[in-house]
Short mmCIF file of all heavy atoms in Angstrom, two decimals:
data_model
loop_
_atom_site.label_atom_id
_atom_site.label_comp_id
_atom_site.label_asym_id
_atom_site.label_seq_id
_atom_site.Cartn_x
_atom_site.Cartn_y
_atom_site.Cartn_z
N ALA A 1 -96.94 15.10 108.00
CA ALA A 1 -96.04 16.12 107.47
C ALA A 1 -96.52 17.53 107.77
O ALA A 1 -95.77 18.50 107.62
CB ALA A 1 -95.88 15.94 105.95
N SER A 2 -97.78 17.66 108.18
CA SER A 2 -98.33 18.96 108.57
C SER A 2 -98.82 18.83 110.01
O SER A 2 -100.02 18.72 110.27
CB SER A 2 -99.47 19.36 107.63
OG SER A 2 -100.00 20.62 107.99
N PRO A 3 -97.89 18.83 110.96
CA PRO A 3 -98.25 18.47 112.34
C PRO A 3 -99.07 19.53 113.05
O PRO A 3 -98.99 20.72 112.75
CB PRO A 3 -96.88 18.31 113.02
CG PRO A 3 -95.98 19.19 112.24
CD PRO A 3 -96.45 19.15 110.81
N VAL A 4 -99.86 19.05 114.01
CA VAL A 4 -100.53 19.97 114.94
C VAL A 4 -99.49 20.64 115.83
O VAL A 4 -99.57 21.84 116.12
CB VAL A 4 -101.56 19.19 115.79
CG1 VAL A 4 -102.16 20.09 116.87
CG2 VAL A 4 -102.64 18.60 114.91
N HIS A 5 -98.48 19.88 116.24
CA HIS A 5 -97.37 20.42 117.03
C HIS A 5 -96.17 19.48 116.84
O HIS A 5 -96.32 18.26 116.81
CB HIS A 5 -97.72 20.52 118.51
CG HIS A 5 -96.73 21.34 119.29
ND1 HIS A 5 -97.00 22.64 119.69
CD2 HIS A 5 -95.48 21.08 119.74
CE1 HIS A 5 -95.96 23.12 120.36
NE2 HIS A 5 -95.03 22.19 120.39
N LEU A 6 -94.97 20.08 116.70
CA LEU A 6 -93.75 19.29 116.52
C LEU A 6 -92.65 19.82 117.43
O LEU A 6 -92.36 21.01 117.45
CB LEU A 6 -93.28 19.35 115.06
CG LEU A 6 -91.94 18.65 114.77
CD1 LEU A 6 -92.01 17.16 115.09
CD2 LEU A 6 -91.52 18.86 113.33
N TYR A 7 -92.07 18.88 118.22
CA TYR A 7 -90.90 19.17 119.05
C TYR A 7 -89.79 18.23 118.58
O TYR A 7 -89.93 17.00 118.61
CB TYR A 7 -91.20 18.94 120.52
CG TYR A 7 -89.99 19.07 121.44
CD1 TYR A 7 -89.64 20.29 121.98
CD2 TYR A 7 -89.22 17.95 121.75
CE1 TYR A 7 -88.54 20.41 122.83
CE2 TYR A 7 -88.12 18.05 122.58
CZ TYR A 7 -87.78 19.29 123.12
OH TYR A 7 -86.69 19.40 123.94
N THR A 8 -88.67 18.78 118.13
CA THR A 8 -87.54 17.97 117.67
C THR A 8 -86.26 18.77 117.79
O THR A 8 -86.28 20.01 117.72
CB THR A 8 -87.75 17.51 116.21
OG1 THR A 8 -86.68 16.64 115.83
CG2 THR A 8 -87.78 18.69 115.25
N GLY A 9 -85.16 18.06 117.98
CA GLY A 9 -83.88 18.75 118.13
C GLY A 9 -83.82 19.65 119.34
O GLY A 9 -83.11 20.66 119.35
N GLY A 10 -84.62 19.34 120.37
CA GLY A 10 -84.60 20.13 121.61
C GLY A 10 -85.40 21.41 121.54
O GLY A 10 -85.28 22.25 122.43
N GLN A 11 -86.27 21.59 120.52
CA GLN A 11 -87.05 22.83 120.42
C GLN A 11 -88.34 22.60 119.62
O GLN A 11 -88.45 21.63 118.86
CB GLN A 11 -86.23 23.94 119.74
CG GLN A 11 -85.81 23.61 118.32
CD GLN A 11 -84.97 24.70 117.70
OE1 GLN A 11 -84.76 25.74 118.31
NE2 GLN A 11 -84.50 24.48 116.49
N ASP A 12 -89.32 23.52 119.84
CA ASP A 12 -90.56 23.48 119.06
C ASP A 12 -90.27 23.97 117.64
O ASP A 12 -89.37 24.77 117.41
CB ASP A 12 -91.62 24.38 119.70
CG ASP A 12 -92.08 23.85 121.04
OD1 ASP A 12 -92.26 22.62 121.16
OD2 ASP A 12 -92.24 24.67 121.98
N ARG A 13 -91.08 23.48 116.69
CA ARG A 13 -90.92 23.86 115.28
C ARG A 13 -92.22 24.46 114.74
O ARG A 13 -92.94 23.84 113.97
CB ARG A 13 -90.52 22.63 114.47
CG ARG A 13 -89.14 22.10 114.76
CD ARG A 13 -88.05 23.08 114.27
NE ARG A 13 -88.22 23.38 112.87
CZ ARG A 13 -87.78 22.62 111.87
NH1 ARG A 13 -87.11 21.51 112.16
NH2 ARG A 13 -87.98 22.96 110.62
N PRO A 14 -92.53 25.71 115.12
CA PRO A 14 -93.76 26.33 114.62
C PRO A 14 -93.72 26.60 113.12
O PRO A 14 -94.77 26.83 112.50
CB PRO A 14 -93.85 27.64 115.42
CG PRO A 14 -92.44 27.93 115.83
CD PRO A 14 -91.79 26.59 116.04
N ASP A 15 -92.51 26.60 112.51
CA ASP A 15 -92.40 26.90 111.08
C ASP A 15 -93.01 25.80 110.21
O ASP A 15 -93.37 26.05 109.05
CB ASP A 15 -90.94 27.11 110.70
CG ASP A 15 -90.06 25.92 111.11
OD1 ASP A 15 -90.18 25.49 112.27
OD2 ASP A 15 -89.26 25.45 110.28
N VAL A 16 -93.13 24.57 110.73
CA VAL A 16 -93.72 23.49 109.96
C VAL A 16 -95.11 23.11 110.48
O VAL A 16 -95.71 22.15 110.01
CB VAL A 16 -92.80 22.24 109.98
CG1 VAL A 16 -91.48 22.56 109.33
CG2 VAL A 16 -92.62 21.74 111.42
N GLN A 17 -95.60 23.87 111.42
CA GLN A 17 -96.89 23.56 112.06
C GLN A 17 -98.05 23.91 111.13
O GLN A 17 -98.00 24.89 110.37
CB GLN A 17 -97.01 24.36 113.36
CG GLN A 17 -98.23 24.04 114.19
CD GLN A 17 -98.26 24.87 115.48
OE1 GLN A 17 -97.72 25.97 115.54
NE2 GLN A 17 -98.89 24.33 116.51
N ASP A 18 -99.11 23.09 111.17
CA ASP A 18 -100.35 23.39 110.44
C ASP A 18 -100.84 24.77 110.86
O ASP A 18 -100.97 25.07 112.05
CB ASP A 18 -101.41 22.32 110.78
CG ASP A 18 -102.65 22.44 109.90
OD1 ASP A 18 -103.07 23.58 109.62
OD2 ASP A 18 -103.20 21.40 109.52
N LYS A 19 -101.13 25.64 109.88
CA LYS A 19 -101.48 27.04 110.19
C LYS A 19 -102.77 27.15 111.02
O LYS A 19 -102.95 28.14 111.75
CB LYS A 19 -101.63 27.84 108.90
CG LYS A 19 -102.77 27.37 108.00
CD LYS A 19 -102.86 28.24 106.77
CE LYS A 19 -104.03 27.80 105.88
NZ LYS A 19 -104.13 28.66 104.67
N ASP A 20 -103.66 26.17 110.93
CA ASP A 20 -104.89 26.22 111.71
C ASP A 20 -104.65 26.08 113.21
O ASP A 20 -105.52 26.39 114.02
CB ASP A 20 -105.86 25.12 111.27
CG ASP A 20 -106.45 25.40 109.89
OD1 ASP A 20 -106.43 26.58 109.49
OD2 ASP A 20 -106.90 24.45 109.24
N TYR A 21 -103.45 25.60 113.59
CA TYR A 21 -103.16 25.37 115.01
C TYR A 21 -102.09 26.32 115.55
O TYR A 21 -101.75 26.24 116.72
CB TYR A 21 -102.68 23.93 115.22
CG TYR A 21 -103.75 22.91 114.93
CD1 TYR A 21 -103.87 22.32 113.66
CD2 TYR A 21 -104.66 22.53 115.91
CE1 TYR A 21 -104.85 21.39 113.39
CE2 TYR A 21 -105.65 21.59 115.64
CZ TYR A 21 -105.73 21.03 114.37
OH TYR A 21 -106.70 20.11 114.11
N GLN A 22 -101.57 27.20 114.71
CA GLN A 22 -100.50 28.09 115.15
C GLN A 22 -100.98 29.01 116.27
O GLN A 22 -102.03 29.61 116.19
CB GLN A 22 -99.98 28.91 113.97
CG GLN A 22 -99.19 28.08 112.98
CD GLN A 22 -98.66 28.89 111.81
OE1 GLN A 22 -98.98 30.05 111.66
NE2 GLN A 22 -97.86 28.25 110.97
N GLY A 23 -100.19 29.08 117.33
CA GLY A 23 -100.52 29.91 118.49
C GLY A 23 -101.53 29.29 119.43
O GLY A 23 -101.93 29.93 120.41
N ARG A 24 -101.94 28.03 119.17
CA ARG A 24 -102.98 27.41 120.01
C ARG A 24 -102.52 26.11 120.66
O ARG A 24 -103.33 25.42 121.26
CB ARG A 24 -104.24 27.13 119.18
CG ARG A 24 -104.91 28.38 118.61
CD ARG A 24 -106.35 28.10 118.19
NE ARG A 24 -106.44 27.12 117.11
CZ ARG A 24 -107.20 26.04 117.16
NH1 ARG A 24 -107.89 25.74 118.25
NH2 ARG A 24 -107.27 25.22 116.12
N THR A 25 -101.24 25.74 120.53
CA THR A 25 -100.78 24.47 121.10
C THR A 25 -99.60 24.69 122.05
O THR A 25 -98.86 25.66 121.92
CB THR A 25 -100.35 23.50 119.98
OG1 THR A 25 -99.29 24.10 119.23
CG2 THR A 25 -101.51 23.20 119.06
N GLU A 26 -99.46 23.73 122.98
CA GLU A 26 -98.38 23.85 123.97
C GLU A 26 -98.09 22.47 124.56
O GLU A 26 -99.02 21.72 124.88
CB GLU A 26 -98.81 24.83 125.06
CG GLU A 26 -97.81 25.00 126.18
CD GLU A 26 -98.34 25.89 127.29
OE1 GLU A 26 -99.40 26.52 127.10
OE2 GLU A 26 -97.69 25.93 128.36
N LEU A 27 -96.80 22.13 124.66
CA LEU A 27 -96.37 20.91 125.34
C LEU A 27 -95.94 21.25 126.76
O LEU A 27 -95.51 22.37 127.05
CB LEU A 27 -95.20 20.26 124.59
CG LEU A 27 -95.50 19.72 123.19
CD1 LEU A 27 -94.20 19.26 122.53
CD2 LEU A 27 -96.49 18.57 123.24
N PHE A 28 -96.02 20.26 127.67
CA PHE A 28 -95.64 20.47 129.07
C PHE A 28 -94.19 20.02 129.23
O PHE A 28 -93.91 18.90 129.68
CB PHE A 28 -96.57 19.68 129.98
CG PHE A 28 -98.01 20.07 129.85
CD1 PHE A 28 -98.84 19.42 128.94
CD2 PHE A 28 -98.54 21.10 130.61
CE1 PHE A 28 -100.17 19.78 128.81
CE2 PHE A 28 -99.86 21.47 130.50
CZ PHE A 28 -100.69 20.81 129.59
N LYS A 29 -93.25 20.90 128.88
CA LYS A 29 -91.84 20.51 128.82
C LYS A 29 -91.26 20.23 130.20
O LYS A 29 -90.29 19.48 130.31
CB LYS A 29 -91.03 21.60 128.12
CG LYS A 29 -91.42 21.76 126.66
CD LYS A 29 -90.57 22.79 125.95
CE LYS A 29 -91.08 22.91 124.52
NZ LYS A 29 -91.28 24.25 124.10
N ASP A 30 -91.85 20.81 131.24
CA ASP A 30 -91.35 20.49 132.57
C ASP A 30 -91.71 19.07 132.98
O ASP A 30 -91.18 18.53 133.95
CB ASP A 30 -91.89 21.50 133.60
CG ASP A 30 -93.41 21.56 133.60
OD1 ASP A 30 -94.03 21.11 132.59
OD2 ASP A 30 -93.98 22.06 134.57
N GLU A 31 -92.62 18.43 132.21
CA GLU A 31 -93.00 17.04 132.45
C GLU A 31 -92.25 16.07 131.55
O GLU A 31 -92.46 14.86 131.63
CB GLU A 31 -94.51 16.87 132.24
CG GLU A 31 -95.39 17.59 133.26
CD GLU A 31 -95.35 16.87 134.61
OE1 GLU A 31 -95.31 15.64 134.63
OE2 GLU A 31 -95.34 17.57 135.64
N PHE A 32 -91.41 16.59 130.64
CA PHE A 32 -90.66 15.72 129.72
C PHE A 32 -89.82 14.66 130.46
O PHE A 32 -89.76 13.51 130.02
CB PHE A 32 -89.77 16.55 128.81
CG PHE A 32 -90.48 17.06 127.58
CD1 PHE A 32 -91.86 17.00 127.49
CD2 PHE A 32 -89.79 17.58 126.51
CE1 PHE A 32 -92.52 17.45 126.36
CE2 PHE A 32 -90.44 18.03 125.38
CZ PHE A 32 -91.81 17.98 125.31
#
């Protein structure tokens, strides 16, 4: 419930991201 990174509904969800990881994570969407 406190994800390191969450992608859903076609977009990233930084609003529910664990604060310790905010601004430090990235998915490779061109590889999706």
Side-chain angles (χ1 to χ4, degrees):
S2 181
V4 174
H5 193 103
L6 175 61
Y7 173 89
T8 184
Q11 61 181 357
D12 293 319
R13 291 291 305 277
D15 54 312
V16 297
Q17 185 179 28
D18 189 321
K19 64 179 182 179
D20 289 339
Y21 295 93
Q22 289 181 353
R24 297 198 296 127
T25 60
E26 178 185 350
L27 294 173
F28 300 91
K29 294 182 182 132
D30 56 342
E31 293 287 322
F32 274 14

